Amino acid sequence: QLKLVNPSQYRFEHLVTQMKWRLQEGRGEAVYQIGVEDNGLLVGLSEEEMRASLKTLRRMAEKVGADITVLREREVDYDSDVPRKITEVLVRKVPDNQQFLDLRVAVLGNVDSGKSTLLGVLTQGELDNGRGRARLNLFRHLHEIQSGRTSSISFEILGFNSKGEVVNYSDSRTAEEICESSSKMITFIDLAGHHKYLKTTIFGLTSYCPDFAMLVVSANTGIAGTTREHLGLAMALKVPFFIVVSKVDLCSKATVERTVKQLERILKQPGCNKLPLLVNSDDDAVTAAQQFAQSPNITPIFTLSSVSGENLDLLKVFLNILPPLTNSKEQEELMQQLTEFQVDEIYTVPEVGTVVGGTLSSGICREGENLVVGPTDDGKFLRLKVCSIQRNRSACRVLRAGQAATLALGPFDRSLLRKGMVMVSPEMNPTICSVFEAEIVLLFHATTFRKGFQVTVHVGNVRQTAIVEKIHGKDKLRTGEKAVVRFRFIKHPEYLKIGAKLLFREGVTKGIGHVTDLQAITTKDNGLEESLGPAQLSF
C-alpha cells in the first residue's frame, strides 16, 4: 500500500474488505508494506503521512478484530529534502473458533548438538545453566534424564499472540493457557540425534508430516555424526529446513565462522543446491522468514546460544513471521475429501479408555463420528466411534485436515490397534496391499542390492519390513542407481497411496523413492468386521 491517509468512508470499507480477504488467504496473517507503490516502486512516506497511515491501518485492524505489529522501518533515498520511510507491518487476527495457525517444526541434528536444550529455553522462557537444566522438562523417560539423550519423540509448544509476543510456560502455567492466549502455535517435534535411534527419527519425519525442519549444529563440533544424514533425510522428504548453530558461547568467533563456512560449503554443493542466508539482525530475520516461505532454495542460518541467550530473539522473530505453507484454498480442498486419520501413537488413559494420537490427513472429524480402523493382521477394518478430541491438550469439537490431535475411542480394545493403521470414513472403501511397486534411488549400499533382500520400509506412518521380490529390468542395483522395485510386506497388509514418499533402510543401506503401483486386496469381500463381544460394539 502506498499511503492510507484519511480515506473516505467508502474507500475505508473497501480497504477493510481487502484486509479480510488477505487475512483469510494467509490463514489469519498478512504483511503490509506501507510506502511502496503497487508496481513495487519504493517511494516512502514522510513522518506525518506514515503516522496517519499507521493510524488508519490500526482502525482497519480493529474493524476486522486483528492486531498489528511493526516489523521494521527503513529509510529510502527518494529525490526530496524530507527523509522518507517504508514500514512493514504484520497484521494478525485473533483466532475465532479455535482456528489458530499451527506450524509443525521437526528438530534435527547430531547427538549433543543442543536440540532439547534450545527447545527447553524457547518453550520455558528460562536460559540454560550450561549443564542441561533447560531440557529436563522435555524428557519422557528416566534413561533420557540419566544419559541426557533423547530417545523418544516429544512435542513442545511455543505460542505467539496476535501482537507477535512470545507465549510460553514462563507466564502460562499449562498448555491450555498457552493455546488460549496464542493466535499462532508452533509445535516442535523433538527428535533423537543418536544414531541408534535413527528409526525413531525417520518415523517422526515421515508420520508427523512437519511443515519445516530445524537442523541444530553445535558450533564447537561442526558438522559431525548424524548431521549430514539428517540433512539428507530432510532433503529426501522435501521438508524445507533452516539451520541453527548453537553453543556459540563456548567457542571463539573464529570457530563459529569456520562452522558457518563449513555449512555454507555443504549447502552450495550440487546435491543440496541451497542458498545460505546468515541472519545477524532483526531485519535479516524478517527477510529470511519471507524469502524462506516463497522459495525453498533459501536456507537461513542462525548463530545463537541457549546459555547466554545471544541472538535467541532473532530466532523468535523469524518463527513469529514464518507463514504457513498451504494457503486456505488448499486446506479447504483437503477438508472436502473423505475423513482419513493416521494413527501414530496409542495409549490407554485411566477412566477414558483407549486414546490414539496422529494427524488428520484429509476431511473433517467430529466428536461422536463413526469411523472404521484398519487394516488388521488379516486385512479387515473394524468399526469404532470417536468419543472426544483433544488438540494441544485442550478439548476441541472439530478436527480439520492437516491438524494433529488425540482421539479418545472409549472401550475399544487396544490390542487390536497398532501404529501405521488408518481411521477412515466407512464409505471410503480403502485400498490395502501387501505387494506394491516403487520407483527408488539407492542412496548407499555396501555391496549390491538384489532380489530377496529385506529392508525396513517407511511410508508416512507405516513402518514394516518388506522383501524385494523383483527389480524391473535389472538383476541388481548399485549405489546411486534408479529402478522400479516390487516389495512385499512380510507381516500384514498396509494402507498405502500411489505417489506416497518412501524411505527404506537396513544397516547401512538407504534409499528413497515413491510408490508407483499397488496390488490391492479388496476389502469388500471380507466386509467390515465387528469388534468382538457385546461390550465393544459402539455405533
Side-chain angles (χ1 to χ4, degrees):
Q1 300 287 343
L2 181 53
K3 54 183 171 186
L4 309 164
V5 183
N6 297 335
S8 65
Q9 188 58 34
Y10 173 72
R11 168 96 177 120
F12 182 72
E13 291 296 331
H14 174 72
L15 286 168
V16 169
T17 316
Q18 195 182 18
M19 183 184 267
K20 265 189 188 157
W21 185 81
R22 285 201 175 143
L23 285 172
Q24 195 182 344
E25 269 301 278
R27 288 171 61 181
E29 283 188 335
V31 174
Y32 272 72
Q33 291 172 327
I34 300 177
V36 181
E37 281 199 9
D38 288 349
N39 59 7
L41 184 65
L42 306 175
V43 182
L45 297 180
S46 65
E47 191 75 30
E48 230 162 82
E49 291 178 321
M50 184 55 85
R51 244 202 318 270
S53 296
L54 284 174
K55 195 174 158 192
T56 310
L57 197 63
R58 245 184 216 107
R59 270 177 54 210
M60 285 159 56
E62 272 170 22
K63 186 101 185 202
V64 293
D67 280 329
I68 70 172
T69 354
V70 175
L71 293 178
R72 55 179 173 176
E73 289 184 342
R74 51 168 66 163
E75 292 199 358
V76 279
D77 304 331
Y78 197 67
D79 30 346
S80 77
D81 316 331
V82 221
R84 288 172 162 267
K85 282 186 171 174
I86 294 178
T87 308
E88 273 193 42
V89 184
L90 175 70
V91 182
R92 181 175 286 160
K93 195 165 181 237
V94 186
D96 41 26
N97 70 14
Q98 303 180 323
Q99 279 310 297
F100 47 78
L101 260 175
D102 194 9
L103 295 184
R104 285 194 289 268
V105 178
V107 185
L108 299 167
N110 188 29
V111 61
D112 300 336
S113 64
K115 296 184 293 298
S116 300
T117 300
L118 173 62
L119 290 194
V121 170
L122 282 174
T123 56
Q124 310 292 332
E126 288 177 15
L127 292 174
D128 190 49
N129 61 356
R131 293 194 299 278
R133 191 180 72 193
R135 63 178 185 202
L136 289 179
N137 300 332
L138 276 73
F139 286 154
R140 291 172 54 170
H141 299 294
L142 181 64
H143 68 253
E144 294 181 330
I145 293 174
Q146 287 161 348
S147 70
R149 303 221 164 124
T150 309
S151 67
S152 61
I153 300 172
S154 67
F155 292 89
E156 287 306 311
I157 54 177
L158 175 68
F160 288 98
N161 62 17
S162 46
K163 295 189 180 71
E165 298 157 349
V166 174
V167 183
N168 55 20
Y169 286 110
S170 61
D171 44 24
S172 314
R173 291 286 148 269
T174 58
E176 289 93 35
E177 280 180 38
I178 294 183
C179 293
E180 275 164 22
S181 41
S182 307
S183 57
K184 176 176 191 173
M185 295 282 300
I186 295 192
T187 307
F188 290 106
I189 307 169
D190 188 19
L191 302 173
H194 199 282
H195 200 275
K196 80 175 187 195
Y197 304 126
L198 186 67
K199 82 168 189 184
T200 308
T201 304
I202 293 181
F203 182 72
L205 267 179
T206 52
S207 71
Y208 293 113
C209 19
D211 298 303
F212 303 103
M214 171 163 89
L215 184 70
V216 184
V217 180
S218 157
N220 53 0
T221 50
I223 297 175
T226 46
T227 308
R228 283 169 197 263
E229 209 160 321
H230 286 179
L231 187 74
L233 283 174
M235 302 232 8
L237 292 165
K238 296 192 171 61
V239 180
F241 60 92
F242 56 96
I243 296 178
V244 171
V245 177
S246 63
K247 305 191 185 183
V248 295
D249 57 303
L250 281 182
C251 41
S252 62
K253 236 183 173 136
T255 319
V256 177
E257 278 168 17
R258 199 181 68 215
T259 303
V260 170
K261 282 210 172 67
Q262 192 184 6
L263 279 166
E264 286 178 342
R265 202 167 55 240
I266 278 198
L267 290 171
K268 287 175 182 165
Q269 281 175 356
C272 272
N273 215 352
K274 301 275 186 200
L275 195 67
L277 176 66
L278 190 61
V279 177
N280 289 320
S281 64
D282 279 356
D283 204 43
D284 291 352
V286 176
T287 314
Q290 291 170 354
Q291 298 283 348
F292 179 55
Q294 283 159 11
S295 85
N297 288 359
I298 287 177
T299 303
I301 300 179
F302 295 85
T303 52
L304 53 83
S305 157
S306 303
V307 176
S308 67
E310 185 187 332
N311 289 354
L312 255 176
D313 293 345
L314 300 186
L315 182 60
K316 287 178 186 166
V317 168
F318 173 78
L319 291 169
N320 176 29
I321 306 168
L322 202 57
L325 283 179
T326 55
N327 55 23
S328 51
K329 193 166 152 226
E330 290 172 28
Q331 203 203 7
E332 296 276 309
E333 284 171 8
L334 271 176
M335 277 159 54
Q336 281 157 11
Q337 296 170 11
L338 290 168
T339 308
E340 180 189 317
F341 182 85
Q342 296 186 352
V343 178
D344 297 332
E345 293 191 85
I346 303 156
Y347 347 82
T348 308
V349 178
E351 296 179 16
V352 179
T354 306
V355 174
V356 293
T359 312
L360 188 69
S361 42
S362 64
I364 291 181
C365 179
R366 293 185 174 82
E367 278 186 5
E369 196 158 338
N370 290 314
L371 298 174
V372 294
V373 66
T376 55
D377 291 357
D378 47 4
K380 294 188 170 67
F381 278 75
L382 313 169
R383 293 171 194 262
L384 55 80
K385 182 178 176 180
V386 178
C387 299
S388 65
I389 304 176
Q390 273 204 344
R391 187 165 162 235
N392 280 336
R393 308 188 181 103
S394 49
C396 159
R397 300 230 165 268
V398 181
L399 189 61
R400 292 171 171 79
Q403 297 177 344
T406 49
L407 312 182
L409 307 178
F412 193 81
D413 184 3
R414 176 184 172 164
S415 60
L416 298 170
L417 296 171
R418 59 182 166 80
K419 283 186 189 182
M421 280 186 163
V422 283
M423 286 163 51
V424 293
S425 56
E427 60 263 33
M428 190 159 172
N429 190 22
T431 50
I432 56 170
C433 64
S434 285
V435 178
F436 66 97
E437 291 192 353
E439 186 178 316
I440 61 158
V441 180
L442 200 59
L443 296 181
F444 181 75
H445 188 40
T447 54
T448 53
F449 179 87
R450 56 181 73 226
K451 186 181 157 187
F453 202 75
Q454 285 196 6
V455 290
T456 306
V457 174
H458 293 261
V459 188
N461 62 342
V462 169
R463 171 171 76 182
Q464 204 192 131
T465 308
I467 295 181
V468 176
E469 282 206 332
K470 185 179 182 184
I471 302 174
H472 291 285
K474 293 181 181 168
D475 301 337
K476 54 192 177 191
L477 279 184
R478 293 182 184 279
T479 302
E481 291 186 338
K482 248 186 180 178
V484 176
V485 177
R486 186 163 68 203
F487 291 101
R488 173 187 291 278
F489 284 128
I490 62 173
K491 277 167 73 182
H492 33 242
E494 297 280 11
Y495 170 82
L496 295 182
K497 278 183 177 161
I498 289 182
K501 294 196 199 85
L502 164 132
L503 275 172
F504 60 87
R505 54 178 183 85
E506 176 56 55
V508 288
T509 306
K510 286 181 204 70
I512 56 169
H514 60 268
V515 179
T516 53
D517 187 32
L518 309 172
Q519 292 189 10
I521 309 168
T522 51
T523 48
K524 280 220 168 115
D525 316 342
N526 50 23
L528 291 172
E529 194 73 7
E530 309 297 354
S531 54
L532 311 165
Q536 288 152 351
L537 275 182
S538 49
F539 290 109

